[in-house]
Structures are given as C-alpha cells and as structure tokens.
Amino acid sequence: MRNNKRVECVGGKTDRQEEISREKTTDGSHSHRRKGFVHIDYIIAIGVIIVVFALSVQFATSFFTPAQEEAQTQTVTANAFSLLSMADFSSSPRVWNDTSLPERIGLYTKAYRFLILVNNTGSSYLNQSQSVINLSNELVNFSFSDLGYSGININSTVVLDDNNRTLSYQISGEEIRFAAIVNASAQRWYVVYFDDDSNFTSRSASVAVTNNLSERIYPTEQINIVQYQQMNELSVSNYTLVRNATSNRDFHIRLRDVNTSANQINYGADEPRRGTVVALQRFVMYQNATANVNQGRLIVQTW
Amino acid sequence: MAKRKIFDKGKNCGRKGFVYTIEVLLAIFLVAVTITSLFLQVPEKPQGDIAITKRLGIETLEYLDNKDVLRNYVNSNDAAGIERELDALLPNRLNSNATICERSCTFSGLPVDRNVIVADYYVSGYRTTYLGKKVRVFMWSR
C-alpha cells in the first residue's frame, strides 16, 4: 500500500522523516531532539572557516615579519658600507664646516712613497780610492723638483729607516737631506713619504753629514691613506648637523692605531643597548699629526 | 492508482544542506591550500655576506700593499707569507688561502660544501722588477 501513498515534498523531508514528524504530533519528545540537527552543517562550516582564518593569519605573519626585519638590517648595512667607504673618497665638498656641511663624509687622500738604498761597498764610493769603513753620518739628499714633483707639501716629508724609526731631516728649498748610519759592506733601506695636499708645520733640523757614497733612489709609488687634515675637520664638527646632512641615521666612527690601540678618531653617538646595530671594519694607513703614516683599524657602527 | 510523485526532488529535498556544506568545505579547502602554498616558504634571505666578504678580501690586500709588504711576498713567490698576514687581518669566522699566479690560477684543497669567495689583486712590479702577477685569495666561512 506504500506504493499508493502520495509523496509530497514537505519542507524537503524524506518519506521517513515525514513519518517521524507525523509521529511527533503524537509524541512531542522526538521533535525537540531533532530540531538543532539541521543547523549542524553550518556550524561545522563556520568552525572550519575560523580555523583556516587563524592559520592564514599565522602564515602571513611568519612570512612578512622576517622580511621586514631583513629589509631593515639590509638598509642599516648599506649605510654602514657607505660610511666605511670614507677611506676611499675625500669628503664632498672637500672643504666644509658646520655652516657648509658635507654631503658625504670622506677621509681619503693620496700619499707617495719611494725607497732609497744606501750601499756601503766599494763600488758606491764617490772616491774609489777610499777604503770601505763604517759610516755614521752619511749624507743622503734628494730634490723633489729633480724627481719631477712640484707643488709638494715639503713639510709632509717623513723619512724612516729599515727599523721603522723616524729620522730628522733638513729642508733646503726643495731639497731634503738626512744622515744615514751604514756599517762597512752593509746596505740599508730608507723610506720617504710625502704628499701634496696637507698643511704640516716644518720640522726641519740641521744635520751634520759627510758625503762619501752615491745612493740609489727607486721609483715613487702612490698609496691610499686617511688624511690627518680631514680627520681633524671631522673630529671638531657638530655630529648632529653632520648626521642630518649625510645619512640621517646615527653612527659612530673609530680609527684605532693597530700597534698602540690609541683612538685617532672617536666620533659619533653612543651605541644603543637594543636594536639593529651593524658594525664593519677595515684596515687602513693613516697620517698622524706629524705626517707619519701608520697602520690603523677603521670601525664604523650604524643603527 | 498511479504513483503520484510530486517530485523527483522530493527524495533529495532533505539533502540540500548537505550539498551546500560540501560546497563550502571544498571552497575553504581550496583557499587554505592556496594560502598555505603561498606563505609556507619564508622569503630567502639575500646573500649580502658574499659581497661583504669579497670587499673585505680586496680591502685587506690593498692594505697589505699600502703597508709595503705585499709586493715583497709576490716577488719572493711567498704565498704562505700572504696567508699568514691574512690570518691576522681577516675575521675569525673566515678561513682563507692565497696563491700567486700569472695567468691561470689553480688551487686545490678548497671546500666543496660551501661558498668560496675569490678576490684578485694585480701586482705589476716590485721596486725595479716587473712582476706582472696577481694574488688570488680564497675565503670561506668556517
């Protein structure tokens, strides 16, 4: 007889559900138990959406947070590299002060160096009949104009022996003369440094010498150094003004002597206790207050 | 009496919510898979340390030249001397080796499981002697 039953779509229910709900009219407990059943699918869907949303936020956060930190570190590192290049360029403009600030901090200049060989053997004697003896004040002299240089800052001349000791010398016009100490049948090397863009005071001192030998002067070579004059200009300037004119990021610059660890430059703000601080260093040759060329360690920190 | 089926869909009327739920779950699954595949891999950190190390090597060789020791080593073909100088100047995080060559530089003993950064420095002469050589420095992280 079921086949003759009329089937109607009542609220989308099946035949069985219709029978059950008809039963409900006689037995109310069934209808109360089944009411929430039709909404369970939506609850499940909402729950899944919430879970997926939470996972999406977590993934997005883990994606963007290190990228942001890395970008900041790279920016600070680029700024530190730019500062470290101060040993490769002069400041721009070259002459500046607190009223005419630099666009770029620079300390670089060229200096020149050549070697002199003093050979106390018979073939070097001016008087070939003279016997080879120990010489304690052998004249060594040279002229910058004879070497082909003009516009030299002659006061920047530094003479070193092969033990790296600074020797006193006498200036006479464009000529430099100093005393060499060479034992018989020995040879000694002397190094002369000079530049053409500094402003040192004269350190000329008279020397008592005798001229017995001819010396050999080797070709001049150019070296890159950190210039004393530019170091001075930086050290006496106003840090806040320089920072705002150049990078607008805080920094600290130190130039430390390799042998004595004395700070030749100590300029800038104090490093923060927290945050991203990038420190870079390089070794350079620098010029001190008496024009001596020494070994230094240039350290820059920026944040 | 003929069957009177008001529907076909009469039998499926009660399944509407089920289909909708399946559709929603499928859509959520597709979105979740897409977002996961997009954001699962954190962006690769740029290898800035390679450029830093290369620059460090070149600046160190330039410093040795300005210090007037490099050309003497090259003239004497003393690569070990250059390596000693580099050990004192380069950071502790780096290992280094040096070779002196004219045109083609060969060097064995380099690590095969990490990046090796190379820096070349050309030396034309020493005092009155023409050299025409280059110093090649190899650097890698410890």
Side-chain angles (χ1 to χ4, degrees), chain A:
Chain A
M1 296 320 224
R2 185 179 281 269
N3 286 338
N4 291 332
K5 241 189 205 167
R6 201 173 80 174
V7 176
E8 289 182 358
C9 184
V10 178
K13 297 178 185 172
T14 61
D15 292 351
R16 181 62 190 150
Q17 285 176 342
E18 179 60 27
E19 287 177 12
I20 291 171
S21 61
R22 285 204 191 99
E23 287 174 11
K24 281 191 221 177
T25 58
T26 53
D27 182 4
S29 61
H30 279 191
S31 65
H32 288 302
R33 204 165 46 211
R34 301 272 179 187
K35 260 189 188 173
F37 183 79
V38 296
H39 302 298
I40 193 73
D41 50 350
Y42 297 106
I43 293 171
I44 292 172
I46 290 171
V48 171
I49 287 173
I50 291 172
V51 168
V52 168
F53 180 74
L55 284 174
S56 304
V57 168
Q58 183 187 356
F59 281 135
T61 304
S62 65
F63 180 87
F64 285 113
T65 300
Q68 190 181 11
E69 289 173 354
E70 186 59 36
Q72 190 188 7
T73 302
Q74 293 294 326
T75 302
V76 177
T77 303
N79 198 48
F81 261 123
S82 175
L83 278 175
L84 200 66
S85 298
M86 70 176 66
D88 299 319
F89 303 100
S90 298
S91 57
S92 175
R94 170 59 195 90
V95 179
W96 59 277
N97 50 41
D98 285 350
T99 55
S100 174
L101 292 163
E103 295 169 359
R104 181 186 64 201
I105 300 172
L107 304 173
Y108 161 85
T109 192
K110 296 188 298 291
Y112 304 93
R113 168 175 67 205
F114 62 86
L115 293 161
I116 302 176
L117 173 63
V118 182
N119 197 355
N120 190 359
T121 56
S123 58
S124 300
Y125 273 77
L126 296 172
N127 184 357
Q128 288 293 303
S129 61
Q130 187 175 349
S131 53
V132 175
I133 57 172
N134 293 339
L135 298 170
S136 60
N137 54 354
E138 169 62 23
L139 169 67
V140 179
N141 65 334
F142 58 88
S143 167
F144 284 111
S145 54
D146 289 345
L147 292 175
Y149 289 97
S150 59
I152 298 300
N153 178 12
I154 202 163
N155 294 331
S156 68
T157 304
V158 173
V159 180
L160 302 169
D161 66 10
D162 41 18
N163 294 318
N164 219 33
R165 279 197 300 255
T166 307
L167 303 183
S168 56
Y169 57 84
Q170 183 176 351
I171 300 174
S172 175
E174 290 279 314
E175 185 183 285
I176 298 286
R177 46 169 55 196
F178 62 92
I181 302 173
V182 192
N183 291 335
S185 304
Q187 66 180 31
R188 294 197 69 183
W189 291 94
Y190 295 86
V191 182
V192 179
Y193 288 92
F194 63 96
D195 71 31
D196 56 1
D197 59 354
S198 58
N199 189 16
F200 293 101
T201 54
S202 173
R203 286 162 286 124
S204 176
S206 60
V207 291
V209 290
T210 56
N211 193 9
N212 300 286
L213 304 174
S214 62
E215 295 80 30
R216 173 180 284 189
I217 297 178
Y218 286 81
T220 307
E221 58 176 319
Q222 177 184 308
I223 60 172
N224 303 327
I225 63 170
V226 170
Q227 190 188 39
Y228 176 72
Q229 186 172 350
Q230 295 186 77
M231 287 164 54
N232 244 8
E233 288 170 359
L234 182 67
S235 296
V236 301
S237 66
N238 183 302
Y239 163 73
T240 305
L241 296 177
V242 171
R243 182 203 65 192
N244 294 341
T246 53
S247 64
N248 217 24
R249 277 189 177 270
D250 283 310
F251 59 86
H252 196 116
I253 300 169
R254 287 185 185 86
L255 177 58
R256 196 167 285 170
D257 189 279
V258 167
N259 295 313
T260 66
S261 296
N263 277 335
Q264 309 301 314
I265 301 175
N266 191 3
Y267 178 81
D270 291 332
E271 301 85 351
R273 291 183 181 275
R274 288 189 301 178
T276 302
V277 180
V278 174
L280 299 173
Q281 77 165 22
R282 65 184 288 186
F283 289 91
V284 295
M285 303 298 287
Y286 75 93
Q287 199 179 40
N288 68 3
T290 55
N292 275 55
V293 178
N294 299 328
Q295 301 162 37
R297 188 201 306 256
L298 180 63
I299 303 164
V300 299
Q301 293 167 296
T302 181
W303 55 92

Side-chain angles (χ1 to χ4, degrees), chain A residues 9 12 41 85 113 115 224, chain B residues 13-14 21 28 55 62 66 127:
Chain A
C9 184
D41 50 350
S85 298
R113 168 175 67 205
L115 293 161
N224 303 327
Chain B
C13 274
T21 304
I28 291 168
R55 179 172 170 157
E62 185 183 20
N66 287 331
R127 294 183 182 168

